[in-house]
Amino acid sequence: MSENEEHSTGGVYSVKGKEFTRDSRYIETRIMAEPRAGTDDYPVEPGRYRLVAAYACPWANRSIIVRDVLGLQDVISLGTPGPTHDSDSWTFDLDPDGLDPVLGIHRLKEAYERRFPGYPRGITVPAMVEVETGQVVTNDFAQITEDLFFQWKAHHRPDAPDLWPAELRPEMRDVMRRIYTEVNNGVYRCGFAGSQEAYDAAYDRLWTAMDWLEERLASRRYLMGDAITEADIRLFTTLVRFDPVYHGHFKCNRQKLTELPNLWGYARDLFQTPGFGNNVDFDQIKQHYYVVHTDLNPLSIVPKGPDLSGWGTPHGRG
């Protein structure tokens, strides 16, 4: 990605001399249990859709985790592009012959083009694709996971967690909004800053939020109390990438995650919870960032470290 070029597969802008800005325009079509009249809503229907989501991407990783913890594996199939891609599209490098075995496509762009010929924006993951038509339905990552909880509830496993407790939703939305702007997107604001001034401001904003989270988690096991919610999933996918990628590659290097006792214990607690750590692939994560971001890492050399064995150690937060 050059200094003045849109990163088409990631939906981000990095312009020399300016603050990083994310292109947050997504396909807003919904998959609804009861499609609304006069809209282009699609109906909830087991087997009708395929979630295309790369393990390497934090925005996609959260949809993989939500699908898993809610028990939707047999209801919505999963297609996983490889960790690297070109400037045009995510590709199915991990599948035989580079072909998604269900959709029969080599490039995710094909699903976008089937519904929107000449689609003008980034080919992003996660994306929900209708299997029969091969057309993308939506790539609105935040709405996808929310709808997996609310719209697909009839298909959740019997003991699925309540990721959106009714009494906590107002505060939870505030917490998630701050996590998105200051942490999930904040690390990118550091990594793709277009000037020293933009980087310095982004760094300070990120660490103000990290300090807030460290303090918040001193008095509660999870972000909203004693049970896991979607807020935790949204934070986790950034935390699990922090030391392998964001600390060095994005220059978010005041401290490592392992040096923040509450956040590090909390992250390990989640990692060791079914649905979380089993959906993390550190090799793919590192390959994605260090190989794709040639503006930040021109030689695409992937570091061997850091030592990630600590993720399996006791977290002490039970």
Side-chain angles (χ1 to χ4, degrees):
M1 182 175 67
S2 68
E3 293 167 332
N4 299 293
E5 176 185 18
E6 179 185 359
H7 187 183
S8 64
T9 50
V12 301
Y13 291 93
S14 183
V15 180
K16 186 175 182 179
K18 296 185 178 181
E19 177 183 315
F20 157 83
T21 303
R22 179 175 297 280
D23 181 358
S24 57
R25 297 169 293 171
Y26 299 103
I27 302 167
E28 297 180 349
T29 307
R30 301 274 300 280
I31 299 173
M32 305 281 285
E34 297 181 5
R36 299 163 295 181
T39 73
D40 58 357
D41 291 343
Y42 284 61
V44 164
E45 185 180 317
R48 182 167 176 171
Y49 308 100
R50 186 161 177 81
L51 173 63
V52 178
Y55 285 101
C57 170
W59 317 101
N61 199 184
R62 72 166 64 167
S63 66
I64 295 172
I65 293 171
V66 170
R67 169 183 173 270
D68 195 336
V69 301
L70 295 178
L72 293 171
Q73 298 94 322
D74 295 331
V75 178
I76 303 169
S77 66
L78 177 65
T80 54
T84 61
H85 54 70
D86 56 29
S87 62
D88 192 48
S89 179
W90 289 87
T91 53
F92 295 94
D93 308 321
L94 304 179
D95 293 306
D97 300 320
L99 194 72
D100 180 273
V102 172
L103 300 175
I105 57 177
H106 292 279
R107 310 172 72 77
L108 180 56
K109 184 176 183 177
E110 296 175 52
Y112 280 72
E113 292 282 348
R114 284 177 184 173
R115 185 174 176 202
F116 303 107
Y119 184 75
R121 298 195 291 276
I123 307 302
T124 62
V125 289
M128 293 286 281
V129 179
E130 186 178 37
V131 174
E132 183 176 356
T133 64
Q135 296 181 356
V136 67
V137 177
T138 180
N139 65 343
D140 189 339
F141 66 90
Q143 192 65 61
I144 285 173
T145 54
E146 187 168 340
D147 284 347
L148 288 178
F149 178 77
F150 287 104
Q151 302 304 321
W152 292 81
K153 191 176 288 287
H155 304 285
H156 293 179
R157 71 168 193 256
D159 60 344
D162 183 359
L163 297 179
W164 290 80
E167 70 279 8
L168 298 178
R169 285 174 203 166
E171 181 188 5
M172 185 172 144
R173 287 195 183 276
D174 289 340
V175 169
M176 291 193 300
R177 187 177 302 110
R178 186 172 182 184
I179 287 170
Y180 170 73
T181 60
E182 306 304 300
V183 181
N184 299 148
N185 200 43
V187 294
Y188 284 84
R189 196 181 294 113
C190 290
F192 290 116
S195 69
Q196 186 68 52
E197 292 75 18
Y199 165 74
D200 289 347
Y203 180 95
D204 291 344
R205 282 182 63 177
L206 169 66
W207 283 104
T208 296
M210 293 289 280
D211 289 340
W212 162 67
L213 289 166
E214 177 73 4
E215 182 178 356
R216 184 179 182 90
L217 290 165
S219 59
R220 61 191 77 197
R221 184 173 181 180
Y222 304 112
L223 284 171
M224 303 308 302
D226 296 329
I228 291 171
T229 64
E230 170 133 350
D232 299 296
I233 297 172
R234 294 187 179 196
L235 178 57
F236 173 77
T237 57
T238 295
L239 294 183
V240 81
R241 288 161 174 77
F242 201 88
D243 286 4
V245 175
Y246 302 143
H247 179 273
H249 187 58
F250 279 0
K251 307 180 186 70
C252 302
N253 59 356
R254 193 192 79 180
Q255 290 167 280
K256 295 178 180 178
L257 178 66
T258 55
E259 297 167 348
L260 299 162
N262 297 326
L263 276 165
W264 174 225
Y266 161 83
R268 281 178 290 154
D269 190 0
L270 292 175
F271 185 87
Q272 294 167 32
T273 299
F276 286 79
N278 58 295
N279 286 311
V280 171
D281 189 315
F282 286 116
D283 289 337
Q284 288 196 42
I285 288 169
K286 291 200 296 184
Q287 285 181 21
H288 171 68
Y289 286 92
Y290 287 104
V291 172
V292 172
H293 296 161
T294 53
D295 51 341
L296 301 183
N297 188 36
L299 298 180
S300 296
I301 294 172
V302 180
K304 296 183 71 173
D307 179 5
L308 299 168
S309 60
W311 282 96
T313 60
H315 52 76
R317 294 182 65 85

